Amino acid sequence: MRTLIPVAVTGLMVGQAQAADLAVRIEIPRLNVAEYHRPYVAVWVEGPDQKVAANLAVWYDVKLKNDEGTKWLKDMRQWWRRTGRELTMPADGISGATRPVGEHQLAFSDGKAPLGKLAEGKYELVVEAAREVGGRELLRIPFQWPPRAPEKGEARGQHELGRVALETKP
Amino acid sequence: MKMSLKWAALALAFSLPLSAQAHRMWMLPSATVLSGADPWVTVDAAVSNDLFYFEHFPLQLNNLSVTAPDGTAAKAENQSTGRYRSTFDVRLTQAGTYKMAVVNNGVFASYKENGKNKRWRGTAEKFAQEVPADAQDLRVTQANSRLETFVTVGKPTDTVLKPTGQGLELAPITHPNDLFAKEEASFRLLLDGKPAAGIEVSIVPGGIRYRDQLHEMKTRTDADGKFTVTWPEPGMYWLEAETKDDKTTFDKAKERRSTYIATFEVLPE
């Protein structure tokens, strides 16, 4: 009976080690503007058919009373069209508060929400940002899933986003 | 009071299409794609030359109807008609697609009375009272027009897109609140519920005031009443189609003119 426990634990750990990881770093740039609001940001994975394969994150103003912050979700136009308008906010494990200027890290694992199980194939990580009284920007980073070796990709925003980096590991 | 009645009468006249008329009727919603817990939309409605500027006459809202995503009638609140435009608000309490429609049915007559040319506009009911029974060279036309725009909260829905089967109507194949620049959209025109073939469709982008050319796009419906358009750029677009036939419902009228007009928003890709 006692010997069974370490076996079970080991099995669990092996399972984790085998699950591929997807790490995203998103830089919110400092902007010299008179009226600054933190951007709304959506992060998702698209398949080659442009269909959303996984909704990874959406940051919006969750603090406003009566869910008023949801009014501007549609300004992330691509996200709204592809998946946002199908969701109910707040979305469990996906939605969260807007983030300040700086670099933010997100980590996802194969088989676990919100990434889930992706079929083998080519994908794009999509990051879209929209800022109240500001602009909108969308970046795409292609990647292969599952990764056979550690892979890196990045894209640089021009006005609403800074550097966005993607790292995948088998 | 006298003044406002005069404007109202004039505006009604201008809200009914005339064959040689250059004016355009339109509704312009403040937004067509909405999110959030308690969104509202406000709509301007006018008859003007340039799109979408109110510079001529307000559109009369007497025949306005708003249909909610579940098919029930929604309220057009805060209605007001000013010198150049009308406006109303709709509180969007349901998720899905709303339709705003102004449907006008009018009768036009031209005739000679004591050798003088006369023109008359009104309704079938008033015709006998107002047009002399002995009018010479009498020409009577029935004019039906449908002016529409759509707005969507959350995911687009189709209930309000079902045609009524009367007059010239649009049966969207591409949802009217899912239009994007550089993408192709397809629609079908129906006349009395049946595919309307061979009808010319005119599409004009808004913002006319700040450019030298109209940039009108013209196309024609195919045998199934279908037409497609690829939106060149994001913005508000005005669509008009018109057809004539002899299927009048008023026995004095020999000709029926059916017009469909809509405003669409095309978003950037």
Side-chain angles (χ1 to χ4, degrees):
Chain A
M1 199 52 197
R2 274 188 182 177
T3 52
L4 278 178
I5 294 161
V7 170
V9 169
T10 313
L12 197 68
M13 287 172 71
V14 168
Q16 275 183 336
Q18 281 176 339
D21 288 322
L22 187 152
V24 182
R25 279 189 290 185
I26 298 171
E27 187 197 349
I28 308 267
R30 185 173 298 281
L31 300 171
N32 186 17
V33 292
E35 181 183 344
Y36 180 77
H37 299 272
R38 291 177 181 180
Y40 278 31
V41 175
V43 185
W44 73 99
V45 174
E46 263 182 31
D49 53 0
Q50 292 205 307
K51 291 232 167 73
V52 174
N55 241 314
L56 299 183
V58 53
W59 304 338
Y60 69 101
D61 195 339
V62 292
K63 285 177 298 195
L64 292 179
K65 63 176 165 57
N66 303 330
D67 279 339
E68 277 169 23
T70 55
K71 183 175 178 180
W72 314 109
L73 286 171
K74 48 98 183 158
D75 289 344
M76 295 182 283
R77 288 192 301 261
Q78 277 303 310
W79 174 79
W80 185 249
R81 178 188 198 191
R82 304 257 183 252
T83 180
R85 66 192 189 188
E86 319 257 346
L87 303 174
T88 310
M89 290 291 140
D92 205 22
I94 299 169
S95 60
T98 53
R99 308 280 181 103
V101 168
E103 194 179 76
H104 303 278
Q105 298 202 23
L106 301 169
F108 306 97
S109 286
D110 184 35
K112 283 193 187 168
L115 182 62
K117 264 281 179 221
L118 296 183
E120 186 178 343
K122 285 181 174 169
Y123 292 91
E124 281 187 331
L125 176 83
V126 192
V127 179
E128 184 173 19
R131 185 166 49 88
E132 198 179 338
V133 302
R136 165 195 173 268
E137 187 157 42
L138 181 139
L139 297 175
R140 290 173 177 275
I141 303 173
F143 67 94
Q144 180 77 34
W145 194 262
R148 279 174 206 101
E151 296 279 352
K152 284 182 181 180
E154 73 165 61
R156 266 175 205 281
Q158 302 294 313
H159 45 107
E160 300 303 328
L161 288 165
R163 178 174 170 265
V164 173
L166 170 70
E167 225 178 308
T168 55
K169 276 182 200 156
Chain B
M1 187 60 197
K2 253 188 175 172
M3 196 60 185
S4 68
L5 270 176
K6 184 186 153 200
W7 287 126
L10 270 171
L12 176 66
F14 278 99
S15 73
L16 301 168
L18 269 174
S19 54
Q21 147 199 341
H23 311 299
R24 300 180 177 101
M25 295 195 282
W26 47 266
M27 282 191 278
L28 185 71
S30 56
T32 63
V33 173
L34 298 106
S35 59
D38 185 23
W40 286 68
V41 70
T42 190
V43 182
D44 286 330
V47 183
S48 71
N49 286 334
D50 283 352
L51 298 165
F52 290 93
Y53 305 99
F54 24 85
E55 27 85 318
H56 196 53
F57 283 105
L59 185 79
Q60 293 304 301
L61 301 178
N62 308 10
N63 297 321
L64 168 71
S65 64
V66 182
T67 313
D70 66 358
T72 60
K75 212 173 145 193
E77 299 185 51
N78 303 324
Q79 291 190 34
S80 146
T81 295
R83 174 62 185 82
Y84 282 149
R85 69 166 157 176
S86 293
T87 179
F88 60 91
D89 297 337
V90 182
R91 185 175 189 172
L92 308 170
T93 55
Q94 299 178 23
T97 301
Y98 283 74
K99 176 168 78 179
M100 289 83 178
V102 173
V103 179
N104 286 318
N105 294 309
V107 175
F108 295 87
S110 66
Y111 55 93
K112 275 190 176 145
E113 192 178 23
N114 304 325
K116 279 184 182 168
N117 288 324
K118 295 264 184 184
R119 298 185 83 179
W120 176 88
R121 298 181 182 93
T123 58
E125 294 76 40
K126 292 227 169 118
F127 183 86
Q129 300 163 29
E130 297 181 4
V131 177
D134 58 351
Q136 293 149 6
D137 298 339
L138 180 64
R139 276 196 67 203
V140 185
T141 303
Q142 206 172 1
N144 303 337
S145 68
R146 172 176 285 274
L147 173 67
E148 293 181 335
T149 196
F150 306 89
V151 306
T152 294
V153 183
K155 199 180 168 185
T157 57
D158 292 339
T159 305
V160 301
L161 306 182
K162 279 183 197 134
T164 66
Q166 291 182 343
L168 195 59
E169 294 179 279
L170 190 80
I173 299 166
T174 308
H175 195 285
N177 290 141
D178 210 8
L179 307 177
F180 288 82
K182 315 290 182 207
E183 288 187 9
E184 191 181 85
S186 305
F187 306 94
R188 185 168 277 126
L189 277 176
L190 304 176
L191 184 60
D192 300 332
K194 296 185 190 79
I199 292 182
E200 188 176 76
V201 180
S202 160
I203 298 165
V204 182
I208 293 174
R209 184 183 284 175
Y210 305 113
R211 62 176 185 257
D212 291 337
Q213 288 179 50
L214 197 53
H215 292 170
E216 180 184 30
M217 298 183 283
K218 280 190 175 174
T219 183
R220 201 171 275 278
T221 58
D222 68 10
D224 291 327
K226 204 179 131 187
F227 67 96
T228 56
V229 51
T230 301
W231 311 101
E233 51 194 271
M236 286 288 185
Y237 285 80
W238 185 82
L239 178 148
E240 183 189 44
E242 193 174 279
T243 187
K244 288 175 187 173
D245 61 18
D246 58 4
K247 291 179 185 154
T248 60
T249 53
F250 175 51
D251 59 0
K252 295 274 190 299
K254 295 281 169 283
E255 185 181 70
R256 175 177 73 157
R257 186 164 54 239
S258 308
T259 310
Y260 179 83
I261 299 173
T263 305
F264 298 120
E265 184 173 32
V266 174
L267 293 174
E269 184 55 4

